[in-house]
């Protein structure tokens, strides 16, 4: 079974990005950064989600991100599925912070239960088949709209969403060109998926 140990975000200023993620989310080795000048415009075709236990933690993390320099794309609010908000980091990465709970059970702890990488894809059936063939079994599937994989004990979970739907979900235009500015670090050999997302082995990836 393929697991995801971490993701590497390619940023213009690695020192500034490192400071942001430390101050905003307190993330460790699950999210790495490295400097890159690869051209990119608009939506990069993916988001990262932080799943927490209650709305107070959503508010605390969104507030910390904004204080550290993030832009609010969707203010935190209740929805049919729970409570959440969307911010864009200074490096351009879009983050969803969400809880399935609509009520607090205690004070905010800012504890992150899960990190989920959502890849926006054009051909859901084709991308789903590609990942299954690369050793990542499906955990949940909702037709052509959403697929969640079983990545075992890895640090980051993986899910697929239709690209246009994902852009709409986070409140941005689906248009975008150039690099995804993302490398997925797993325990399988290097490969590139049908939508151009690059995977590398963890040993190949430079650490923070």
């Amino acid at each position: 079974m393929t697991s995801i140990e971490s993701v590497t975000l390619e940023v213009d200023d690695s020192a500034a990005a490192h400071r942001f993620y430390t101050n905003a989310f307190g993330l460790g080795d699950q999210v790495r950064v490295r400097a890159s000048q690869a051209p990119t415009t608009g939506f990069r075709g993916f988001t990262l989600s932080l799943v927490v236990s209650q709305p107070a933690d959503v508010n605390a993390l969104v507030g910390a991100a904004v204080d550290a320099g993030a832009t609010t794309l969707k203010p935190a609010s209740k929805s049919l599925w729970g409570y959440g908000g969307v911010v864009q980091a200074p490096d351009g990465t879009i983050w969803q912070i969400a809880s399935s709970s609509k009520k607090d059970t205690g004070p905010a702890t800012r504890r992150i239960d899960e990190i989920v990488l959502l890849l926006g894809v054009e051909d859901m059936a084709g991308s789903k088949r590609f990942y299954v063939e690369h050793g990542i079994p499906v955990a949940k599937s909702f037709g052509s709209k959403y697929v969640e994989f079983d990545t075992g004990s890895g640090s980051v979970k993986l899910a697929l969403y239709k690209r246009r739907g994902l852009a709409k979900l986070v409140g941005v235009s689906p248009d975008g060109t150039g690099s995804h500015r993302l490398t997925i670090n797993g325990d399988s050999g290097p490969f590139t998926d049908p939508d151009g997302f690059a995977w590398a082995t963890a040993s190949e990836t430079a650490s923070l």
Side-chain angles (χ1 to χ4, degrees), residues 73-74 86 94 165-173:
L73 297 181
K74 283 191 172 182
V86 183
I94 296 174
L166 183 57
K168 182 178 181 180
L169 182 67
V170 297
V172 299
S173 167

Side-chain angles (χ1 to χ4, degrees), residues 4-117:
I4 301 174
E5 296 303 321
S6 64
V7 296
T8 299
L9 304 175
E10 299 176 3
V11 301
D12 292 335
D13 185 335
S14 58
H18 190 186
R19 283 195 302 272
F20 170 81
Y21 289 116
T22 299
N23 295 334
F25 303 141
L27 295 175
D29 288 344
Q30 300 104 318
V31 177
R32 303 166 182 266
V33 297
R34 69 174 170 223
S36 172
Q37 298 300 317
T40 185
T41 64
F43 184 45
R44 296 178 188 171
F46 76 94
T47 70
L48 283 158
S49 294
L50 303 178
V51 181
V52 297
S53 63
Q54 60 180 352
D57 295 308
V58 173
N59 292 334
L61 289 167
V62 168
V66 171
D67 289 345
T71 300
T72 300
L73 297 181
K74 283 191 172 182
S77 63
K78 289 183 180 179
S79 67
L80 291 175
W81 50 262
Y83 186 87
V86 183
V87 298
Q88 187 167 30
D91 64 81
T93 304
I94 296 174
W95 291 82
Q96 302 182 68
I97 301 96
S99 171
S100 60
S101 174
K102 298 181 183 181
K103 294 183 178 180
D104 292 326
T105 57
T109 66
R110 290 183 59 181
R111 184 172 70 87
I112 297 167
D113 296 329
E114 291 180 347
I115 301 175
V116 183
L117 171 63

Side-chain angles (χ1 to χ4, degrees), residues 78-161:
K78 289 183 180 179
S79 67
L80 291 175
W81 50 262
Y83 186 87
V86 183
V87 298
Q88 187 167 30
D91 64 81
T93 304
I94 296 174
W95 291 82
Q96 302 182 68
I97 301 96
S99 171
S100 60
S101 174
K102 298 181 183 181
K103 294 183 178 180
D104 292 326
T105 57
T109 66
R110 290 183 59 181
R111 184 172 70 87
I112 297 167
D113 296 329
E114 291 180 347
I115 301 175
V116 183
L117 171 63
L118 286 90
L119 302 181
V121 303
E122 296 294 341
D123 177 2
M124 183 65 78
S127 293
K128 176 182 176 181
R129 183 170 57 252
F130 176 88
Y131 279 109
V132 169
E133 291 172 350
H134 279 75
I136 310 180
V138 172
K140 299 177 184 177
S141 181
F142 299 95
S144 62
K145 297 184 179 297
Y146 177 82
V147 174
E148 183 178 305
F149 294 96
D150 181 358
T151 50
S153 60
S155 297
V156 181
K157 291 186 175 294
L158 175 68
L160 306 180
Y161 215 102

